[in-house]
Amino acid sequence: MRLPDDRDGLVLSPAQQRSRRARNMAIGVAIALLVVLVYALTIAKLGGHVGDRAL
């Protein structure tokens, strides 16, 4: 019986490994930029005086 984490069936070439790494880096950068964009838009929408409001 083989365990599910046995990886004998899939062997990537060095070119495929580089391609996968580059794709993963691009996805990571895109997600980071999206987070920064949402943060910046939230701050812009709240305005500069959000700390001055009464609680």
Side-chain angles (χ1 to χ4, degrees):
M1 184 172 157
R2 298 186 95 159
L3 297 175
D5 61 346
D6 192 4
R7 298 182 74 127
D8 290 339
L10 180 63
V11 178
L12 298 177
S13 70
Q16 289 172 321
Q17 290 174 347
R18 282 191 304 272
S19 176
R20 179 181 281 187
R21 180 164 173 79
R23 184 173 55 248
N24 288 342
M25 292 295 287
I27 291 170
V29 168
I31 290 172
L33 288 175
L34 180 63
V35 167
V36 169
L37 177 66
V38 168
Y39 179 77
L41 289 174
T42 300
I43 295 300
K45 183 141 177 87
L46 289 175
H49 299 289
V50 69
D52 295 338
R53 65 184 174 94
L55 295 176

